[in-house]
Amino acid sequence: MKRLFTDHYKRNVIELSGAWRFLADPDATGESNNWQKGLPSGETVIVPSVWNNELGLLNYEGCCWYERKFTTAGGTLLFEFESVMTLATVWLDGNKIGEHYGAFTQFEFIVNDVSSGEHTIVVRADNRIDGQSFPQRYTDWFNYGGIARDAYAHELRGISILTNHITYELSNDLKCATVNAELELYNASRDTVSSKVSVKIGDTSIYNESITLNGYEKRTVITPATVIEDIALWDVDAPNLYTVIAATDTDDLIDKIGYRKIEVKGGEILLNSKPIELLGINRHEEHPEWGFAFPPKLMKKDLDLICDMGCNTIRGSHYPNSKIFVDMLDERGILFWSEIPMWGCGFSERSLQDPVIFERGYSMHKEMVKCYYNHPSIIIWGMHNEIATYSECTYPISKAWSEYLRENGGNRLITHASNHPLLDNDMDLDDIICINIYHGWYTYRGYDGKLSDWDKMIEEFRARRLEKGWEGKPVIMSEFGAAALSGFHSHFDTVRWSEEYQRDLLEYTLELFHKTDYIKGTYIWQFCNIRTSHAMDINRVRYFNNKGVLDEYRNPKSSYFKIKELYHRYSGK
Ligand code: ADA
């Protein structure tokens, strides 16, 4: 996995990024023509990448095939894919080894008894959208296709460590942590194997035992609780991290954790027992040249800009971001909201009742928790965005998912982003209430289409909170904003699409939210312009969502400097 640090010293990991042979399959006949055994032709592409940025393939939606060779010492191989858009089927030497649905969560397949020498791996990526796709056709981002993040083949030897989740409880004074590790072990051998298994956090050893596993046995081990004294907390101003080393005789897995506590009390969000105002922005991990195959160098640049604006948090709208980006957030003390790509307006009430949609979303939540569990920066799990939470059909979904996340997701706040706050039933299930509204840009029934609609809405929602008994739940304005075309200026503050209109709308809303007693955070829509789907033809000039405070090449619009002034003033930094 691509990390900011080395995650294996003992294990040999073969990089599968780089040159692959590539062939589009518009009729989806590749499998019946045995392409899984080898492509009949093809051109060289560089993985990770999305095919839409290749000449002639901008709007291609369908299957594409990838093939490459690699050499291994053999034995058990764990194939790891960080992101394939959207349905991935993988063959090794012509034999199918697995299939995975979902563009933004990583997956693995284990294959035993691989011979030493050269092998061929073939991947079919299929980004076609149908009635059960997740997300659906109508989304406000582009439906890219391809192997969009890195891929690896891990050579597993003897007792190997598949995952290591660190769970901890902090003492009331936040000085001690009671810690345990949950290790998923796998014996990558046909024979019974014994090995020492150890876990160390910083300088403290929390586990050191012998374990025996039968051939190819998988076992979960939960280590007994260990109390660690005098911990240095992870916080926005002091993002202290501890290295966690889990090791067996033949394998290891290195990760980082940070000790912090996030909770909600009396309508406040408390980070390490202190109230915090979330000063945030929504960000897509997207660029016109790379699409969703976003290079780490640019992630750092985006983060530099976001920090320069004075943000202390980012919403990873609308899907799990690259792991290495979340590493950067851990290192820099930026709080993160991670969610799955359930972009509501696209899901009809009928599709919300489809068990396939439910299961797809559920497994995306499970994969998100599995992959990102240890990151201290993630303080919010987002269940979904703008689904029909005014109708009764969504409650069972939100109930099941919130229960899963509460039980398995570590110390995080649970929420969903709602665009009908006065009718929403599922807010009962949330720790924080998150509202997406665009007064001053879109027109809503019962409002005048003016900026002053905000003042009305804030008072209406105050009444709704009281009526529903939600006073204990902090409210976050999770989306608001306006589009602006870079370089388009106007003397008149009513001229839409101008940089001035966007800047003034953001100033008005930010100032209003900051002084409203029950609002505890803001996520501006959005960091930069993004390419969007052709299904979104209204209001999407150039087929871009132009609500970025920077353009798609990261050049600032006027609002960038206004946000910088306001966010720095609010945080006093
Ligand atoms: C929604 C949605 C965003 C974006 C935004 C907009 O609230 O969640 O993804 O589409 O509206 O720009 O209209």
Side-chain angles (χ1 to χ4, degrees):
M1 195 182 295
K2 185 165 269 154
R3 306 294 306 261
L4 273 191
F5 48 87
T6 304
D7 54 351
H8 300 284
Y9 285 105
K10 293 187 179 179
R11 183 187 297 185
N12 189 38
V13 182
I14 303 162
E15 276 223 33
L16 297 178
S17 307
W20 288 62
R21 268 202 338 151
F22 171 85
L23 189 58
D25 179 13
D27 305 324
T29 50
E31 192 173 2
S32 48
N33 288 323
N34 276 326
W35 290 11
Q36 62 276 23
K37 299 205 165 117
L39 301 187
S41 60
E43 59 173 312
T44 301
V45 295
I46 303 300
V47 165
S49 60
V50 292
W51 62 64
N52 314 77
N53 288 322
E54 306 301 322
L55 285 180
L57 289 179
L58 174 68
N59 292 317
Y60 180 81
E61 187 180 299
C63 298
C64 285
W65 292 70
Y66 295 76
E67 177 202 274
R68 68 162 282 163
K69 298 199 184 306
F70 66 95
T71 304
T72 171
T76 295
L77 295 185
L78 180 146
F79 292 94
E80 176 186 50
F81 290 88
E82 293 187 7
S83 162
V84 178
M85 310 193 145
T86 295
L87 173 63
T89 315
V90 184
W91 290 267
L92 181 66
D93 303 323
N95 302 311
K96 184 166 164 182
I97 60 169
E99 197 167 81
H100 175 265
Y101 188 85
F104 302 99
T105 42
Q106 84 156 55
F107 56 95
E108 301 90 24
F109 303 128
I110 293 180
V111 186
N112 296 313
D113 283 325
V114 177
S115 60
S116 68
E118 191 180 76
H119 293 272
T120 304
I121 182 161
V122 170
V123 176
R124 182 183 60 198
D126 180 352
N127 74 338
R128 281 174 296 179
I129 294 179
D130 62 24
Q132 294 182 319
S133 296
F134 206 114
Q136 292 272 286
R137 159 83 50 218
Y138 187 68
T139 48
D140 203 357
W141 66 82
F142 196 82
N143 180 34
Y144 290 106
I147 307 180
R149 295 181 190 157
D150 290 286
Y152 302 91
H154 298 242
E155 292 179 339
L156 302 185
R157 297 285 172 268
I159 297 190
S160 306
I161 304 160
L162 301 183
T163 55
N164 180 20
H165 286 174
I166 303 295
T167 301
Y168 56 83
E169 188 85 37
L170 298 182
S171 58
N172 288 340
D173 62 5
L174 306 180
K175 289 194 170 133
C176 301
T178 306
V179 186
N180 67 261
E182 182 174 329
L183 298 149
E184 207 192 337
L185 302 174
Y186 179 67
N187 179 11
S189 154
R190 71 178 65 210
D191 306 317
T192 300
V193 172
S194 299
S195 167
K196 274 257 176 252
V197 179
S198 62
V199 182
K200 217 170 131 187
I201 303 180
D203 295 332
T204 314
S205 161
I206 66 159
Y207 191 68
N208 200 358
E209 298 287 332
S210 281
I211 193 157
T212 303
L213 295 189
N214 297 325
Y216 301 135
E217 184 187 342
K218 223 183 226 182
R219 192 183 300 171
T220 302
V221 170
I222 300 180
T223 67
T226 306
V227 177
I228 305 183
E229 316 257 353
D230 292 327
I231 51 165
L233 292 174
W234 183 95
D235 211 325
V236 283
D237 295 322
N240 292 301
L241 293 171
Y242 288 85
T243 300
V244 181
I245 303 177
T248 66
D249 294 345
T250 44
D251 194 39
D252 58 3
L253 176 60
I254 290 100
D255 203 354
K256 297 211 175 179
I257 62 154
Y259 297 111
R260 56 115 188 96
K261 186 171 183 184
I262 190 80
E263 63 193 319
V264 152
K265 238 184 214 160
E268 295 281 353
I269 298 174
L270 305 183
L271 176 63
N272 298 331
S273 306
K274 294 180 305 252
I276 182 160
E277 181 181 4
L278 299 180
L279 304 173
I281 197 145
N282 284 276
R283 173 183 174 272
H284 271 276
E285 197 169 83
E286 198 260 5
H287 184 282
E289 187 47 43
W290 285 278
F292 286 142
F294 202 88
K297 191 246 160 256
L298 255 193
M299 293 176 195
K300 180 189 176 290
K301 170 92 181 278
D302 280 6
L303 202 46
D304 288 345
L305 291 164
I306 288 170
C307 291
D308 180 60
M309 266 190 285
C311 298
N312 59 18
T313 179
I314 299 170
R315 176 174 174 218
S317 43
H318 290 293
Y319 37 78
N321 284 197
S322 299
K323 185 95 170 150
I324 191 168
F325 182 66
V326 188
D327 281 342
M328 293 179 192
L329 303 177
D330 290 345
E331 203 179 56
R332 290 169 75 160
I334 299 292
L335 306 168
F336 192 59
W337 164 339
S338 190
E339 66 189 26
I340 65 160
M342 189 167 210
W343 196 84
C345 318
F347 287 91
S348 64
E349 284 187 40
R350 210 180 73 196
S351 66
L352 289 168
Q353 291 167 65
D354 182 336
V356 174
I357 297 281
F358 175 84
E359 275 312 320
R360 286 187 163 167
Y362 204 175
S363 66
M364 286 176 197
H365 279 300
K366 289 179 186 160
E367 290 172 335
M368 177 167 79
V369 168
K370 179 177 169 202
C371 181
Y372 301 90
Y373 186 84
N374 286 343
H375 289 280
S377 57
I378 300 181
I379 55 156
I380 298 171
W381 293 132
M383 290 190 281
H384 40 72
N385 177 69
E386 299 190 352
I387 66 171
T389 42
Y390 48 79
S391 94
E392 282 173 6
C393 72
T394 61
Y395 198 82
I397 303 178
S398 303
K399 188 161 184 305
W401 292 355
S402 60
E403 281 171 4
Y404 169 78
L405 291 168
R406 230 175 270 291
E407 225 164 89
N408 302 283
N411 173 224
R412 266 119 200 168
L413 307 177
I414 291 157
T415 196
H416 69 281
S418 174
N419 59 340
H420 23 256
L422 301 176
L423 302 171
D424 196 299
N425 298 312
D426 298 11
M427 287 174 173
D428 269 340
L429 301 164
D430 291 340
D431 297 314
I432 50 173
I433 289 175
C434 292
I435 301 178
N436 294 359
I437 293 282
Y438 287 83
H439 288 305
W441 187 255
Y442 300 130
T443 308
Y444 296 84
R445 206 176 304 142
Y447 293 89
D448 302 330
K450 295 196 183 126
L451 264 184
S452 53
D453 288 344
W454 278 112
D455 304 70
K456 181 175 166 204
M457 195 221 105
I458 293 232
E459 289 320 307
E460 285 169 346
F461 194 72
R462 180 189 299 285
R464 169 93 175 158
R465 262 177 95 232
L466 287 176
E467 176 202 319
K468 298 293 268 180
W470 292 336
E471 300 94 306
K473 297 180 196 269
V475 174
I476 304 295
M477 300 309 298
S478 40
E479 284 188 34
F480 52 97
L485 295 173
S486 296
F488 174 51
H489 295 285
S490 173
H491 289 295
F492 303 100
D493 59 6
T494 51
V495 175
R496 284 162 177 255
W497 300 94
S498 68
E499 291 197 28
E500 288 72 17
Y501 187 86
Q502 183 194 48
R503 183 198 60 202
D504 294 351
L505 180 142
L506 287 174
E507 180 177 17
Y508 184 92
T509 45
L510 285 172
E511 292 282 56
L512 176 66
F513 303 154
H514 180 64
K515 69 172 194 232
T516 300
D517 52 354
Y518 66 78
I519 296 180
K520 302 299 173 188
T522 45
Y523 288 87
I524 295 160
W525 189 267
Q526 62 174 332
F527 170 65
C528 70
N529 296 345
I530 55 154
R531 189 188 277 169
T532 187
S533 134
H534 286 204
M536 294 285 299
D537 55 357
I538 335 147
N539 241 325
R540 298 293 180 266
V541 178
R542 310 177 301 133
Y543 290 121
F544 270 82
N545 182 314
N546 295 289
K547 295 192 190 73
V549 299
L550 298 109
D551 71 15
E552 59 272 25
Y553 295 105
R554 279 62 179 165
N555 300 305
K557 302 179 192 172
S558 309
S559 49
Y560 178 93
F561 302 100
K562 181 51 75 180
I563 296 163
K564 181 169 173 176
E565 175 197 321
L566 297 175
Y567 271 2
H568 282 275
R569 169 148 66 75
Y570 299 161
S571 67
K573 286 182 192 156

